[in-house]
Amino acid sequence: MTSSLELRNITKIFPDQNSGHAITAVENMSFSVKAGELVAVVGPSGCGKSTILNMVSGLYGATHGEVLIDGEVVTGTRPEVGFMLQKDLLLPWRTIVKNVEFGLEEKKMTRAERRERAMEELARMKLAEFADKYPHQLSGGMRQRAALARTLVIQPDIILLDEPFSALDAQTKLVLQRHFARTIAESGVTCVLITHDLNEAVIMADRVVVMSGRPGTVVDEFPIELGNRQDPLARSLEPQAGVYVKRLFDTLHLENQAA
Amino acid sequence: MADTTASLNDGAPEVSSGAPHPKAKKMSKPTRKGISGSGIELAAMIGVGVVFLAAWEFLPPLLDVPRYIIPTLSNCIEEFGNMLQREALLKHFMSTLISALVGFGLGGLLGAASGYLLGLSRLWERVLSPYILALQIAPKVAFAPLFIMWFGYNSIPKLLVTVLVVFFPILVNVLQSMKTVDRDLINLARVYSMNRLTIFRKIEVPSSLPNLFAGLRIGATLAVIGVTVGELVGGNTGLGFLISYGEGQANTAMVFNAIILLTVIGIALYFAVAAVEKRVLHYLERQDH
Ligand SMILES: Nc1ncnc2c1ncn2[C@@H]1O[C@H](COP(=O)(O)OP(=O)(O)OP(=O)(O)O)[C@@H](O)[C@H]1O
Ligand SMILES: [Mg+2]
């Protein structure tokens, strides 16, 4: 099952103990994601993208406004939400398969069932032969794939990806984008992808939400009508992709910024 | 040794980028250097030991240093035999060893438990931190006479001193690690709906193990100091007692021997901890070097 997501007039103010004055990270922000849709969120550094993800995952609440998943207000963390960061967050003391099992450990299932599900997921990520290795024995791309396996094994209704590719080298990134795109399309799960990479947003998403600098709010939002979402590489070759990237570039006023 | 070779090899491509050397040559060169280098090191290490022992044996008589100032190696070995026969050396040795082990165990257990408890409670950590700091700075061995006044001339004072000196480095290390656990890992566990206890068990404790072991290693060496001071100050058993007893008799060789045996206990304890650490933290092996 996949879920829809809606943010309604979200404002998040962080109290700052040191300086005394509060920081408004996002202000009056609204957007929605339909069930099964992949929405990319782009915006300048520090505009509150990660803050949004934390609120959607229920780690903390909004100061004003509400987050709804399937029309229900999010009040805390919930097991149907998958969560992935730039860091793989694999536990170094666990083998890969044990890491994948991590998210299943709070579910009622036997050890054998857990192992079976985890191995299935690893096979899908083409990591089965590395099941008994430790994270440090894997490359960055493999670790990120293992992290995706851990995220998907719980069969989430919605997954939140916070710059999952940004720590990878260019080549690994391309391969992994394709792999993620395929896997996510196959599972049909709703997905929010946060990224710095405008090209990545265009080739991976059904729709892009553009945020302003802090305090972050939505300044543009448009669908990517390229089809073929499971193949970002093919998408990136289409001339229309460049047009979308240009539009993002212009909206973010990148040409005026000093390097 | 393996890592030296590896790092040398890692460096090789950079060095070669300018000059086109055949690959085999530049790979074998550092490897050979690595092996023979460590061979020389080992020989030098043994050499230094031999020179030291020889100097110890032959220099004092040559320079007319009397036996009660610096006993020679053979004097010490001779005295070692005497101590075994006349002074029940084994009894003293075991007493010190057991005190060190028990003190280390108790101190480690209490230190780790307190570290984890304080790590779980921001409030208590803040309330107690000035007192912990004060106690940490206070020279714990200076408490020894106090404990003797309270508990008398038995094995409790030296045990208490040992527990006290071992306690703090472990407490501080564990507490530090609890404060620096990756927030994102904890958030991940929270998103998976894990409760506080599960997060503690599955994230915080394993994350803190490297720090715990660092504390235990420090504690292992401190344990011997604690026992020694406890025994020096009061009591009639243990290697520390033999030191003050030997001093009273101007038996310098006995003092030397006791110090050497104390060092042996310290080294054994340290390497025992290091061996356990290596097994428990096997997954860090590569990142370490
Ligand atoms: N827990 C917090 N307490 C105080 N301020 C915070 C907290 N979390 C975030 N902020 C502030 O809110 C703003 C937005 O942070 P956020 O991490 O959401 O940005 P971001 O868009 O993800 O940035 P980046 O692209 O660099 O990852 C930042 O200025 C940050 O300093
Ligand atoms: Mg961020």
Side-chain angles (χ1 to χ4, degrees), chain B residues 46-112:
Chain B
I46 294 168
V48 169
V50 170
V51 168
F52 174 78
L53 290 179
W56 182 14
E57 178 63 31
F58 299 114
L59 232 44
L62 237 105
L63 300 173
D64 276 336
V65 180
R67 179 183 175 147
Y68 61 85
I69 300 289
I70 298 179
T72 62
L73 174 60
S74 49
N75 293 152
C76 285
I77 293 172
E78 190 192 326
E79 177 59 29
F80 187 77
N82 283 341
M83 287 164 80
L84 272 177
Q85 280 174 5
R86 288 204 303 259
E87 318 292 351
L89 178 60
L90 196 66
K91 184 191 83 183
H92 291 294
F93 180 80
M94 288 313 288
S95 166
T96 300
L97 178 65
I98 290 170
S99 299
L101 284 177
V102 173
F104 172 70
L106 276 178
L109 220 62
L110 289 172

Side-chain angles (χ1 to χ4, degrees), chain A residues 57-59 77-79 81 83 85 87 89 91-94 102-103 105-106 134 136-137 150-151 154, chain B residues 182 184-195 198 202-204 206-207 282-287:
Chain A
S57 55
L59 287 168
T77 59
R78 38 164 72 205
V81 173
F83 186 84
L85 305 185
K87 290 188 278 183
L89 296 182
L91 305 174
W93 53 87
R94 287 184 176 223
F102 183 64
E105 284 167 10
E106 291 300 296
Y134 284 88
H136 72 84
Q137 296 169 310
R150 182 197 56 211
T151 309
I154 61 165
Chain B
D182 189 344
D184 290 322
L185 279 182
I186 292 180
N187 284 344
L188 179 77
R190 284 178 57 203
V191 171
Y192 287 141
S193 304
M194 293 184 177
N195 62 31
T198 311
K202 291 187 177 173
I203 307 280
E204 290 176 319
S207 302
H282 61 92
Y283 55 86
L284 288 181
E285 235 158 7
R286 275 250 209 111
Q287 293 172 346

Side-chain angles (χ1 to χ4, degrees), chain A:
Chain A
M1 208 199 75
T2 78
S3 301
S4 64
L5 166 70
E6 192 178 351
L7 276 75
R8 269 195 207 150
N9 309 102
I10 295 280
T11 298
K12 180 67 186 179
I13 301 169
F14 286 112
D16 192 343
Q17 290 102 333
N18 298 333
S19 65
H21 49 78
I23 300 173
T24 307
V26 291
E27 191 163 38
N28 200 20
M29 169 128 192
S30 303
F31 72 87
S32 59
V33 184
K34 291 196 280 285
E37 198 179 21
L38 194 160
V39 170
V41 178
V42 298
S45 188
C47 72
K49 302 184 294 294
S50 301
T51 305
I52 291 172
L53 275 206
N54 287 335
M55 289 187 291
V56 173
S57 55
L59 287 168
Y60 45 70
T63 313
H64 306 292
E66 50 199 16
V67 178
L68 296 103
I69 293 182
D70 281 335
E72 257 178 67
V73 177
V74 172
T75 52
T77 59
R78 38 164 72 205
E80 308 83 30
V81 173
F83 186 84
M84 216 180 131
L85 305 185
Q86 176 180 344
K87 290 188 278 183
D88 53 60
L89 296 182
L90 296 173
L91 305 174
W93 53 87
R94 287 184 176 223
T95 58
I96 295 302
V97 65
K98 287 247 173 70
N99 262 293
V100 175
E101 286 174 13
F102 183 64
L104 296 174
E105 284 167 10
E106 291 300 296
K107 308 212 166 190
K108 284 196 184 67
M109 52 169 69
T110 66
R111 206 176 267 253
E113 278 173 331
R114 253 206 313 267
R115 179 55 55 102
E116 196 187 318
R117 285 267 293 278
M119 284 309 297
E120 262 170 40
E121 204 56 52
L122 280 176
R124 212 144 67 92
M125 301 295 158
K126 309 208 164 42
L127 281 175
E129 54 185 307
F130 296 97
D132 295 319
K133 293 264 187 291
Y134 284 88
H136 72 84
Q137 296 169 310
L138 269 59
S139 71
M142 283 152 91
R143 281 205 295 270
Q144 224 34 348
R145 248 151 62 208
L148 182 64
R150 182 197 56 211
T151 309
L152 291 180
V153 78
I154 61 165
Q155 296 176 326
D157 298 339
I158 177 164
I159 59 175
L160 310 171
L161 308 176
D162 194 350
E163 306 186 24
F165 311 114
S166 57
L168 304 170
D169 63 272
Q171 209 173 330
T172 311
K173 191 173 181 168
L174 284 177
V175 176
L176 216 60
Q177 281 169 344
R178 190 173 57 184
H179 186 91
F180 271 48
R182 232 178 249 165
T183 317
I184 290 167
E186 274 167 19
S187 59
V189 65
T190 310
C191 182
V192 179
L193 169 70
I194 285 179
T195 176
H196 269 128
D197 183 338
L198 305 184
N199 185 52
E200 177 175 296
V202 169
I203 64 178
M204 302 234 2
D206 294 312
R207 204 146 48 84
V208 181
V209 171
V210 187
M211 287 174 72
S212 66
R214 205 179 73 210
T217 191
V218 180
V219 289
D220 195 8
E221 187 182 342
F222 57 89
I224 306 286
E225 280 152 346
L226 294 171
N228 217 10
R229 200 186 85 192
Q230 67 286 357
D231 193 355
L233 217 55
R235 266 185 156 196
S236 67
L237 299 176
E238 294 200 25
Q240 184 63 20
V243 178
Y244 286 123
V245 173
K246 176 77 170 73
R247 175 164 174 186
L248 288 175
F249 195 88
D250 291 341
T251 315
L252 290 167
H253 305 292
L254 293 183
E255 74 278 15
N256 297 329
Q257 280 175 22

